[in-house]
Amino acid sequence: MLVTRIRVLVVDDSVVVRRLVTDSLSRDPDIEVVGFASNGKIALAKVDQLAPDLVTMDIEMPEMNGIEAVRALRRARHTMPIIMFSTLTERGASATLDALVAGATDYVTKPANVGSVQESLAQVAGQLIPRIKALVPKRAESSRIGAPTQAVPAVPLTRGQRGPVSTRPMPPVHPVQALIIGSSTGGPEALSQVLSHLSVPPPVPVLLVQHMPPVFTRQLAARLDRLGPATVVEAADGDVLHAGTVYVAPGDHHLELRRSAGTLRVAITDGPPVNFCRPSVDVLFRSAVQEFGGQVLAVVLTGMGADGRTGCEEVVGAGGTVLVQDESTSVVWGMPGAVATAGLAHRVLPVGEVAPSIESVLARSGTAVPSGGRS
């Protein structure tokens, strides 16, 4: 049988990093590195020549950097997924978010403080292989010739695995006390669209989990804060909840809620990963239901895996409302697809309709809506 593997172009000015990525991907029989480029300019020519299914792209490169290369590829109407290879620094996080705005699909971080080459290989493989298979699912499904040697931490829901989707009737009207949101792959852009299209600050506190490492979540919060009427901050332990403020879970920590002397506060915890994730959407959603019961509105946006499905079960069981992003506008219809195919969504929406639907649910619930923007 003819085997068609996922064809990857590796773009990085470091020979060492190119070898690291190649050796990491060679662990999986479904993936083939078909070429290399040492800067963005060469990458443009290689894409035309090799027609890869996916590109891994360094950020800092001579002649044409990764962000410039992403812009050029998108201007040329190349639609293949592009995964940025970033450093775990403030500068790296900022540049990565710039690349996502420019049209990159996702990112991974370069190994830092690892003890051996084998640990570096395992770390890169663990990040890259699941993303590649989620972003090029049809090629991955058609070419499977054996189990991968690298454990896959989060299984994406793909078109071939998807079950029928049916929405639930909207729950009875009752006040909403919190808006809770979960997202992962493709989430920064989806969140930008949702928060920028809110007409006024939400009349309730907003708690948000985006799967991201430390430093990146702080940069994401600062960028989202500039886009819409809501105030967006990286959550800190002990924060008192305020309506109209979005609290972003800090990287590598769970976001939960705790009452102290009768006041509801943010609790930043370092419990074990849930669904291989920390922060975890399920942890946030479960905590919100414990405090607010069914008086929550849950939103699940694009992302790999199924984090959020169990949390949505608890939201629905308590009488809350669940909205999810649809497949056509999701980068990966894993998290929202898992919720939708489990029959837990009250609405399945294009990302452009999520903000109006949030405001509609809040208005329907009788939650007071402010008349103006942020002060």
Side-chain angles (χ1 to χ4, degrees), residues 74-339:
R74 296 313 188 209
R75 281 197 304 268
R77 300 189 181 278
H78 289 292
T79 60
M80 84 291 289
I82 302 172
I83 299 178
M84 306 306 294
F85 213 46
S86 173
T87 55
L88 193 58
T89 63
E90 292 279 359
R91 180 175 177 180
S94 179
T96 300
L97 292 172
D98 286 341
L100 294 174
V101 171
T105 314
D106 201 4
Y107 68 94
V108 298
T109 54
K110 295 182 178 180
N113 301 320
V114 292
S116 70
V117 172
Q118 288 304 313
E119 288 176 331
S120 294
L121 288 169
Q123 182 175 323
V124 172
Q127 291 191 82
L128 271 179
I129 290 173
R131 284 170 168 81
I132 290 170
K133 291 189 172 186
L135 294 170
V136 195
K138 290 184 177 180
R139 298 295 284 273
E141 289 165 9
S142 65
S143 65
R144 185 165 301 283
I145 59 177
T149 58
Q150 174 67 32
V152 177
V155 179
L157 184 76
T158 67
R159 289 169 175 82
Q161 300 165 318
R162 187 186 68 197
V165 174
S166 60
T167 55
R168 306 176 66 87
M170 292 295 285
V173 175
H174 52 66
V176 172
Q177 294 193 48
L179 169 60
I180 51 179
I181 302 175
S183 56
S184 184
T185 310
E189 179 58 26
L191 290 167
S192 296
Q193 292 193 51
V194 172
L195 295 182
S196 66
H197 284 88
L198 293 174
S199 61
V200 293
V204 296
V206 183
L207 302 152
L208 189 163
V209 163
Q210 161 68 39
H211 294 159
M212 271 187 159
V215 181
F216 283 68
T217 47
R218 182 164 60 251
Q219 292 277 351
L220 176 67
R223 288 175 181 242
L224 293 176
D225 184 58
R226 298 193 288 267
L227 294 180
T231 298
V232 185
V233 299
E234 184 182 55
D237 192 61
D239 281 348
V240 177
L241 298 185
H242 295 288
T245 298
V246 180
Y247 300 87
V248 178
D252 200 32
H253 290 82
H254 293 308
L255 173 58
E256 301 183 70
L257 299 174
R258 297 283 187 273
R259 288 197 181 271
S260 175
T263 300
L264 191 60
R265 298 177 183 272
V266 167
I268 303 302
T269 64
D270 58 359
V274 175
N275 302 312
F276 302 96
C277 301
R278 191 172 63 193
S280 165
V281 179
D282 278 341
V283 170
L284 167 62
F285 283 17
R286 184 180 304 118
S287 180
V289 170
Q290 288 172 352
E291 290 297 334
F292 298 118
Q295 294 181 314
V296 294
L297 169 57
V299 178
V300 180
L301 302 174
T302 174
M304 283 175 53
D307 191 26
R309 179 174 58 196
T310 301
C312 285
E313 288 178 357
E314 299 199 23
V315 171
V316 168
T321 305
V322 175
L323 310 178
V324 304
Q325 186 175 349
D326 71 358
E327 182 177 11
S328 66
T329 63
S330 293
V331 172
V332 178
W333 207 57
M335 287 165 47
V339 175

